[in-house]
Amino acid sequence: MTGRVVVIGVGNPFRRDDGAGPAVIESLRSRGAPSAELAVSDGDPGRLMELWRPADSVIVAESLRSPAGRPGRLHTLRADRAARLAAETASTHGLGLAEALALAAALGRLPHAVVVHAVEGADFSVGVGLSPAVRAALPALVHLVADSVRAAHR
C-alpha cells in the first residue's frame, strides 16, 4: 500500500459537457484540493493506467451519455460497474475509462479502490462551456469527489 490517492478528471473541455471532469479538477485546484494528486486525462487507456500507477485509490470524474437522457444526473460507480459500461457505450470516448479498467484488471494493475463519479451530459458538440444542467450539477459532483478523497485516507 502506497497511500497514494489520485483524482483524474477525464474529458475534453472543448467538447462542452465532456469538459465536466477537467472542470472538477480545476475547481479542486482553485479551492485547495484535499490531499490527493490531481490530473486531467483525455481518457486514453494507456495514459490513464500511467496516471494511477501505483496509486491505492483512484477517483475519476467524468461525463457520460445515458439512454435515459437526464442531463445533470449524478452517478457513482465502482470499477467493475464502470468497466461493464463499455459494452453499453456510455462513455463519451471511443476507448476510454471502461477499457482502461478492464485492461488494468486483466494485467493485474488495477488500483486497490476505484470510484467513478459521473454526470450525465446533454451537449457533446464542439465548443466550450457546460450545458446549464451540467453546470448546475458541478458543485455536487465536486463535493462527491472531495468526499471520496477523504474516505480514501481513512
Side-chain angles (χ1 to χ4, degrees):
M1 298 291 242
T2 64
R4 183 174 179 235
V5 177
V6 177
V7 180
I8 305 171
V10 176
N12 180 345
F14 299 105
R15 300 286 308 239
R16 301 215 183 266
D17 287 345
D18 196 37
V24 167
I25 298 302
E26 183 180 311
S27 177
L28 291 171
R29 282 187 177 132
S30 71
R31 66 184 215 182
S35 55
E37 295 178 36
L38 305 176
V40 171
S41 173
D42 61 1
D44 174 79
R47 286 189 285 273
L48 281 169
M49 289 174 57
E50 278 302 312
L51 286 172
W52 72 47
R53 189 176 61 113
D56 287 330
S57 297
V58 173
I59 298 127
V60 176
E62 78 161 336
S63 58
L64 58 83
R65 298 176 201 262
S66 171
R70 295 174 45 191
R73 183 176 176 203
L74 299 176
H75 299 267
T76 297
L77 310 166
R78 298 286 172 198
D80 59 337
R81 173 75 176 122
R84 285 195 307 266
L85 287 177
E88 300 170 18
T89 62
S91 173
T92 60
H93 316 284
L95 282 178
L97 179 62
E99 290 78 11
L101 292 168
L103 180 60
L107 296 174
R109 294 178 55 189
L110 196 61
H112 177 70
V114 178
V115 177
V116 179
H117 295 292
V119 61
E120 289 184 28
D123 182 358
F124 296 92
S125 65
V126 175
V128 295
L130 303 172
S131 68
V134 172
R135 189 175 335 108
L138 197 62
L141 183 59
V142 171
H143 184 76
L144 285 173
V145 170
D147 280 352
S148 289
V149 171
R150 284 187 284 276
H153 286 292
R154 286 187 213 137

